[in-house]
Amino acid sequence: GAGVSQSPRYKVAKRGQDVALRCDPISGHVSLFWYQQALGQGPEFLTYFQNEAQLDKSGLPSDRFFAERPEGSVSTLKIQRTQQEDSAVYLCASSLANRVDQPQHFGDGTRLSIL
Amino acid sequence: AQKVTQAQTEISVVEKEDVTLDCVYETRDTTYYLFWYKQPPSGELVFLIRRNSFDEQNEISGRYSWNFQKSTSSFNFTITASQVVDSAVYFCALSEAAGSARQLTFGSGTQLTVLP
């Protein structure tokens, strides 16, 4: 499709399990971002890639969170040993160029629920 | 540090009324960009507008208009003659030009409900 695609749309996991969330950015987009959105809040930045390079991971809340984009296209956000506070919507966004004025285009998100 | 405040948590209007969504921001940078996004119930954030810190001209796009005032650090969004389809959560966001950071800092959003 033409937009950012995220899968799965919904994910339910038991506390302690590992999860992997996938993001397919818009074709040709250099920059890719992950955000976490808690219920009733605005998205909060997690990490940022320029092509395959992870340039900023300052927003990752703990070392249980890991993101990769090995070929500069699809990205995976992995959460190890999930905890209940990890429950949120995880949004992926991409932008055409590595410029701050470029609008970010978002996917529908993955709603993660940890039981 | 950058910060975006949307003081209005929820707004309800009747169809055809005008409504203004407030956004106040904080930044130490002289060069920055402001954005508005719409988030319908489906969850996807839809880009509406971008403004840079050097352009204070108001902008109108159909029923939408934006008022950017650096003197008050505000970037307010007005919907004229609101429609039921405008019901969504609206987010204001800020991006600073300094350094290598490219992420958006979002406000907490305003839930707009337009009643028929």
Side-chain angles (χ1 to χ4, degrees):
Chain A
V4 176
S5 177
Q6 291 187 246
S7 61
R9 188 78 173 90
Y10 303 93
K11 177 68 177 178
V12 179
K14 292 182 179 179
R15 188 177 58 181
Q17 289 183 331
D18 298 347
V19 298
L21 312 179
R22 176 188 170 101
C23 173
D24 275 286
I26 294 172
S27 179
H29 277 199
V30 167
S31 298
L32 185 145
F33 302 80
W34 284 99
Y35 292 84
Q36 181 189 60
Q37 186 175 19
L39 188 64
Q41 298 298 315
E44 292 192 355
F45 170 76
L46 294 176
T47 187
Y48 156 61
F49 290 86
Q50 181 184 338
N51 295 308
E52 70 278 3
Q54 189 174 19
L55 298 187
D56 188 346
K57 54 182 180 180
S58 61
L60 295 177
S62 77
D63 59 6
R64 297 185 295 103
F65 286 70
F66 172 76
E68 60 183 6
R69 192 186 186 198
E71 298 179 357
S73 178
V74 171
S75 177
T76 303
L77 176 66
K78 298 179 180 178
I79 309 174
Q80 298 176 325
R81 305 181 303 282
T82 53
Q83 300 178 5
Q84 286 191 326
E85 60 262 31
D86 299 335
S87 296
V89 175
Y90 290 84
L91 294 165
C92 177
S94 68
S95 66
L96 181 60
N98 180 32
R99 286 169 42 184
V100 68
D101 64 326
Q102 288 290 310
Q104 296 178 23
H105 301 274
F106 286 80
D108 289 342
T110 293
R111 184 175 297 276
L112 176 64
S113 297
I114 305 301
L115 305 178
Chain B
Q2 53 192 16
K3 183 180 178 181
V4 177
T5 301
Q6 294 179 255
Q8 305 152 306
T9 305
E10 297 181 21
I11 299 176
S12 288
V13 298
V14 177
E15 200 170 21
K16 297 184 183 178
E17 287 184 352
D18 299 347
V19 58
T20 295
L21 310 181
D22 298 335
C23 172
V24 175
Y25 62 92
E26 296 176 27
T27 177
R28 294 178 182 176
D29 277 5
T30 56
T31 303
Y32 52 89
Y33 292 83
L34 295 163
F35 301 79
W36 274 95
Y37 282 83
K38 174 182 180 179
Q39 188 174 43
S42 61
E44 179 182 357
L45 279 158
V46 178
F47 167 71
L48 296 177
I49 190 172
R50 171 194 62 214
R51 253 3 217 170
N52 74 57
S53 51
F54 298 106
D55 184 0
E56 289 194 68
Q57 282 191 336
N58 291 334
E59 182 159 341
I60 298 175
S61 176
R63 295 184 298 108
Y64 295 169
S65 63
W66 291 268
N67 184 340
F68 175 33
Q69 292 192 344
K70 287 182 73 172
S71 61
T72 55
S73 297
S74 65
F75 185 43
N76 297 336
F77 173 29
T78 297
I79 302 175
T80 303
S82 59
Q83 300 176 1
V84 173
V85 293
D86 295 329
S87 297
V89 181
Y90 290 85
F91 290 97
C92 181
L94 168 70
S95 184
E96 293 176 333
S100 60
R102 293 290 178 266
Q103 68 266 30
L104 293 168
T105 297
F106 286 86
S108 56
T110 297
Q111 170 73 61
L112 174 64
T113 301
V114 181
L115 303 169

